[in-house]
Amino acid sequence: MNRALQTMCTRLFTRPLLNLSSGILPNAGVNFIPCASVRHHKLNDQQMRLRYKKLHWHKFYNDKWVQRRGGGWDEKITAENDEFLQEIVYETYAEQESPLKDGPWQRGKFTADPETIRTGALGLKLGTLPQWDKKGRKFYVTLIQIVDNHVINYTPPEMINFRTLFTTRPLRRELQGKVGMLVVGALSCDPRKFTRAYNGLFEKAGVPPKRKLTRFFITPNSVIKPGTPLYATHFRCGDYVDVQARSIDYGFQGVMRRYGFRGGPSDEYGATKFHRKRGTVGSGRKHKILPGTRMAGLMGNKLVMMKGLKVWRINTKYNILYLMGPAVPGPNHGYMRIQDSTLYERRKIFTEENHPPFPTYYPDDNDGKPLDEELFADDIYRFDQPSLTLDDVQVAPLTSRRTTAKTAQKKK
């Protein structure tokens, strides 16, 4: 009864969150925040987000995502009609004028103060490999391929409503209103797999629809024109990046698999049906289960970010990054976001003279000269170089060893 009364009060006692004339919520379909009683003060951003999480039925911001999949394949289509549709698709995107025909937008200038934030890229995890440094120490790296990345769209800071913006990567409060949003897509696909609304998102960029989309918040001086491709050389060997991906989904697991508990004793000590259990959870002074108690539950399938991973090696032919460590989140062939590291110790090395390609790498920047197929960091061992050089070593001539018998004869 109390739950039903609370729900009725929540739906009845509502009030406008913001004044519509202020323009903070443009084109908002619903401008009310539910509350159990009439409040005479505004809710801050943290209270708004908590209230949104608790009341899932309420939606206080516009849902601008379009339907991605629709219809599916026509099973009754003939082979001749299929070839005809493929020709139409090819002509549609081959004859379309590229937005890059007039060249890229005017490039900004990299500044260390105020902070400059570049765009990131979408990568595909391939696996791990061992590598060695010049001191002979072995370590493991994770291979990530930058697959067919293109810039899709850019939204300036004036058109972003930061008050109702939800992001997977936390956005610092001092950056709100100062950064724009750049949409990046990866892996072109057949447009017949998607809806017309989803295919319309890529008309401005002049590229086929992408299988994966993400957004990066960048400063206005590092804006890139839609349709510009992104390569693995967007990053440099020796720099550090942050990687964000969804961890492997293990489903419902017990405490031994989920948290590494030891479990109960064996049968030798008289244990019965207690081998993999957690143990007591309700003992103590309060006689209840405390919040945050580690118990069995869903394991994995969460957004995980690893910061400060070093780029050891870059393959320019296949656009592959060799990142430090074998524990990069996500399964093989899973997508992940890669961006310049936000750690202070890693970012302070960037100056106006020493910084990554800005705003990104353009093939024209190399004066028409092709890059090497493999780029290495300074302290990694290259297998095409000798492991030991004797240039500075002086070798003494070998002499015959004298035996004790010959020495005794000489003394006589």
Side-chain angles (χ1 to χ4, degrees), residues 3 6-14 30 32-35 51-60:
R3 183 63 178 174
Q6 183 181 2
T7 304
M8 292 177 60
C9 294
T10 302
R11 297 186 178 182
L12 289 176
F13 296 102
T14 59
V30 182
F32 294 90
I33 280 291
C35 51
R51 194 167 294 277
Y52 172 76
K53 292 179 180 179
K54 293 180 181 179
L55 304 174
H56 299 282
W57 58 269
H58 184 73
K59 183 170 65 175
F60 68 95

Short mmCIF file of all heavy atoms in Angstrom, two decimals, residues 3 6-14 30 32-35 51-60:
data_model
loop_
_atom_site.label_atom_id
_atom_site.label_comp_id
_atom_site.label_asym_id
_atom_site.label_seq_id
_atom_site.Cartn_x
_atom_site.Cartn_y
_atom_site.Cartn_z
N ARG A 3 3.87 1.51 -1.19
CA ARG A 3 4.52 1.63 -2.49
C ARG A 3 3.56 2.24 -3.52
O ARG A 3 3.96 3.09 -4.32
CB ARG A 3 4.98 0.25 -2.95
CG ARG A 3 5.75 0.26 -4.27
CD ARG A 3 7.00 1.05 -4.15
NE ARG A 3 7.76 1.03 -5.39
CZ ARG A 3 8.85 1.72 -5.61
NH1 ARG A 3 9.32 2.52 -4.67
NH2 ARG A 3 9.49 1.63 -6.77
N GLN A 6 3.17 5.93 -2.77
CA GLN A 6 4.35 6.68 -3.17
C GLN A 6 4.39 6.89 -4.69
O GLN A 6 4.76 7.95 -5.17
CB GLN A 6 5.60 5.93 -2.72
CG GLN A 6 6.90 6.68 -3.03
CD GLN A 6 8.11 5.90 -2.60
OE1 GLN A 6 7.98 4.79 -2.10
NE2 GLN A 6 9.27 6.47 -2.77
N THR A 7 3.98 5.85 -5.45
CA THR A 7 3.96 5.99 -6.90
C THR A 7 2.94 7.03 -7.34
O THR A 7 3.20 7.84 -8.25
CB THR A 7 3.63 4.63 -7.53
OG1 THR A 7 4.59 3.66 -7.07
CG2 THR A 7 3.70 4.72 -9.05
N MET A 8 1.77 7.05 -6.70
CA MET A 8 0.75 8.04 -7.05
C MET A 8 1.22 9.45 -6.74
O MET A 8 1.05 10.38 -7.54
CB MET A 8 -0.56 7.74 -6.29
CG MET A 8 -1.24 6.46 -6.74
SD MET A 8 -2.71 6.11 -5.78
CE MET A 8 -3.67 7.58 -6.13
N CYS A 9 1.86 9.63 -5.59
CA CYS A 9 2.36 10.96 -5.24
C CYS A 9 3.48 11.39 -6.19
O CYS A 9 3.60 12.57 -6.53
CB CYS A 9 2.88 10.96 -3.80
SG CYS A 9 1.58 10.69 -2.56
N THR A 10 4.27 10.42 -6.61
CA THR A 10 5.37 10.76 -7.51
C THR A 10 4.85 11.26 -8.84
O THR A 10 5.39 12.18 -9.44
CB THR A 10 6.26 9.52 -7.72
OG1 THR A 10 6.73 9.09 -6.46
CG2 THR A 10 7.43 9.84 -8.64
N ARG A 11 3.77 10.67 -9.33
CA ARG A 11 3.23 11.07 -10.62
C ARG A 11 2.36 12.32 -10.53
O ARG A 11 2.21 13.06 -11.50
CB ARG A 11 2.44 9.92 -11.22
CG ARG A 11 3.31 8.69 -11.50
CD ARG A 11 2.54 7.62 -12.22
NE ARG A 11 3.39 6.46 -12.51
CZ ARG A 11 2.99 5.39 -13.18
NH1 ARG A 11 1.73 5.33 -13.61
NH2 ARG A 11 3.81 4.40 -13.40
N LEU A 12 1.75 12.56 -9.38
CA LEU A 12 0.86 13.71 -9.25
C LEU A 12 1.64 14.99 -8.96
O LEU A 12 1.44 16.02 -9.61
CB LEU A 12 -0.16 13.46 -8.14
CG LEU A 12 -1.25 12.42 -8.45
CD1 LEU A 12 -2.13 12.22 -7.23
CD2 LEU A 12 -2.09 12.88 -9.64
N PHE A 13 2.55 14.93 -7.99
CA PHE A 13 3.28 16.12 -7.57
C PHE A 13 4.53 16.27 -8.42
O PHE A 13 5.59 15.76 -8.08
CB PHE A 13 3.65 16.03 -6.09
CG PHE A 13 2.46 16.00 -5.19
CD1 PHE A 13 2.04 14.80 -4.65
CD2 PHE A 13 1.75 17.15 -4.90
CE1 PHE A 13 0.94 14.75 -3.82
CE2 PHE A 13 0.66 17.11 -4.07
CZ PHE A 13 0.24 15.90 -3.53
N THR A 14 4.39 16.91 -9.54
CA THR A 14 5.52 17.20 -10.43
C THR A 14 5.56 18.68 -10.70
O THR A 14 4.54 19.37 -10.61
CB THR A 14 5.38 16.44 -11.76
OG1 THR A 14 4.16 16.83 -12.38
CG2 THR A 14 5.40 14.94 -11.55
N VAL A 30 9.92 16.25 -22.69
CA VAL A 30 9.42 16.22 -21.32
C VAL A 30 10.32 17.10 -20.48
O VAL A 30 11.53 16.91 -20.47
CB VAL A 30 9.41 14.78 -20.77
CG1 VAL A 30 8.84 14.76 -19.36
CG2 VAL A 30 8.61 13.87 -21.68
N PHE A 32 9.82 17.80 -17.02
CA PHE A 32 9.43 17.67 -15.64
C PHE A 32 10.27 16.61 -14.96
O PHE A 32 10.61 15.60 -15.57
CB PHE A 32 7.95 17.29 -15.52
CG PHE A 32 7.01 18.36 -16.00
CD1 PHE A 32 6.60 18.39 -17.33
CD2 PHE A 32 6.57 19.36 -15.16
CE1 PHE A 32 5.75 19.37 -17.78
CE2 PHE A 32 5.72 20.34 -15.60
CZ PHE A 32 5.31 20.35 -16.93
N ILE A 33 10.58 16.86 -13.71
CA ILE A 33 11.27 15.87 -12.88
C ILE A 33 10.27 15.41 -11.82
O ILE A 33 9.68 16.23 -11.11
CB ILE A 33 12.50 16.49 -12.20
CG1 ILE A 33 13.66 16.54 -13.19
CG2 ILE A 33 12.93 15.70 -10.98
CD1 ILE A 33 14.20 15.17 -13.54
N PRO A 34 10.02 14.09 -11.68
CA PRO A 34 9.07 13.63 -10.67
C PRO A 34 9.64 13.79 -9.27
O PRO A 34 10.82 13.61 -9.05
CB PRO A 34 8.88 12.16 -11.03
CG PRO A 34 10.14 11.79 -11.69
CD PRO A 34 10.60 13.01 -12.44
N CYS A 35 8.80 14.12 -8.33
CA CYS A 35 9.22 14.23 -6.94
C CYS A 35 8.07 13.81 -6.06
O CYS A 35 6.90 13.97 -6.41
CB CYS A 35 9.67 15.66 -6.60
SG CYS A 35 8.49 16.92 -7.06
N ARG A 51 18.05 10.61 -9.37
CA ARG A 51 16.60 10.45 -9.51
C ARG A 51 16.26 9.74 -10.82
O ARG A 51 15.32 8.96 -10.91
CB ARG A 51 15.92 11.81 -9.44
CG ARG A 51 14.41 11.73 -9.23
CD ARG A 51 13.85 13.09 -8.87
NE ARG A 51 14.35 13.52 -7.58
CZ ARG A 51 13.82 13.16 -6.42
NH1 ARG A 51 12.81 12.32 -6.40
NH2 ARG A 51 14.31 13.60 -5.29
N TYR A 52 17.07 10.02 -11.86
CA TYR A 52 16.83 9.35 -13.13
C TYR A 52 17.12 7.85 -13.03
O TYR A 52 16.42 7.02 -13.61
CB TYR A 52 17.70 9.98 -14.23
CG TYR A 52 17.67 9.23 -15.52
CD1 TYR A 52 16.58 9.31 -16.38
CD2 TYR A 52 18.73 8.40 -15.88
CE1 TYR A 52 16.55 8.61 -17.56
CE2 TYR A 52 18.71 7.69 -17.06
CZ TYR A 52 17.62 7.81 -17.90
OH TYR A 52 17.59 7.12 -19.08
N LYS A 53 18.16 7.49 -12.28
CA LYS A 53 18.49 6.08 -12.14
C LYS A 53 17.42 5.32 -11.37
O LYS A 53 17.14 4.16 -11.62
CB LYS A 53 19.84 5.93 -11.45
CG LYS A 53 21.01 6.42 -12.29
CD LYS A 53 22.32 6.26 -11.53
CE LYS A 53 23.48 6.76 -12.37
NZ LYS A 53 24.77 6.64 -11.64
N LYS A 54 16.82 5.99 -10.37
CA LYS A 54 15.81 5.32 -9.54
C LYS A 54 14.49 5.16 -10.29
O LYS A 54 13.78 4.18 -10.12
CB LYS A 54 15.60 6.11 -8.25
CG LYS A 54 16.80 6.09 -7.33
CD LYS A 54 16.52 6.91 -6.07
CE LYS A 54 17.74 6.90 -5.14
NZ LYS A 54 17.52 7.70 -3.92
N LEU A 55 14.13 6.13 -11.10
CA LEU A 55 12.85 6.11 -11.81
C LEU A 55 13.12 5.84 -13.28
O LEU A 55 13.33 6.75 -14.07
CB LEU A 55 12.11 7.43 -11.62
CG LEU A 55 11.87 7.84 -10.16
CD1 LEU A 55 11.26 9.22 -10.09
CD2 LEU A 55 10.98 6.83 -9.47
N HIS A 56 13.14 4.59 -13.65
CA HIS A 56 13.51 4.23 -15.02
C HIS A 56 12.40 4.57 -16.01
O HIS A 56 12.66 4.69 -17.20
CB HIS A 56 13.83 2.73 -15.09
CG HIS A 56 14.98 2.32 -14.22
ND1 HIS A 56 16.28 2.55 -14.57
CD2 HIS A 56 15.02 1.72 -13.01
CE1 HIS A 56 17.10 2.09 -13.63
NE2 HIS A 56 16.35 1.59 -12.67
N TRP A 57 11.17 4.69 -15.53
CA TRP A 57 10.09 4.95 -16.47
C TRP A 57 10.10 6.38 -16.96
O TRP A 57 9.48 6.71 -17.97
CB TRP A 57 8.74 4.68 -15.79
CG TRP A 57 8.51 5.51 -14.55
CD1 TRP A 57 8.84 5.18 -13.28
CD2 TRP A 57 7.93 6.81 -14.49
NE1 TRP A 57 8.50 6.19 -12.42
CE2 TRP A 57 7.93 7.20 -13.12
CE3 TRP A 57 7.40 7.68 -15.43
CZ2 TRP A 57 7.42 8.42 -12.70
CZ3 TRP A 57 6.90 8.90 -15.01
CH2 TRP A 57 6.91 9.26 -13.65
N HIS A 58 10.83 7.25 -16.27
CA HIS A 58 10.81 8.66 -16.64
C HIS A 58 11.97 8.97 -17.57
O HIS A 58 13.05 8.45 -17.42
CB HIS A 58 10.91 9.53 -15.38
CG HIS A 58 10.80 10.99 -15.68
ND1 HIS A 58 9.63 11.59 -16.03
CD2 HIS A 58 11.74 11.96 -15.68
CE1 HIS A 58 9.84 12.88 -16.22
NE2 HIS A 58 11.12 13.13 -16.02
N LYS A 59 11.73 9.84 -18.53
CA LYS A 59 12.76 10.24 -19.48
C LYS A 59 12.71 11.76 -19.60
O LYS A 59 11.75 12.33 -20.13
CB LYS A 59 12.54 9.59 -20.83
CG LYS A 59 13.63 9.93 -21.85
CD LYS A 59 13.51 9.08 -23.09
CE LYS A 59 12.23 9.38 -23.82
NZ LYS A 59 12.15 8.64 -25.10
N PHE A 60 13.73 12.44 -19.08
CA PHE A 60 13.68 13.89 -19.04
C PHE A 60 14.55 14.53 -20.11
O PHE A 60 14.77 15.73 -20.10
CB PHE A 60 14.12 14.41 -17.66
CG PHE A 60 15.57 14.17 -17.36
CD1 PHE A 60 16.53 15.13 -17.59
CD2 PHE A 60 15.96 12.97 -16.81
CE1 PHE A 60 17.86 14.91 -17.29
CE2 PHE A 60 17.29 12.73 -16.50
CZ PHE A 60 18.23 13.70 -16.74
#
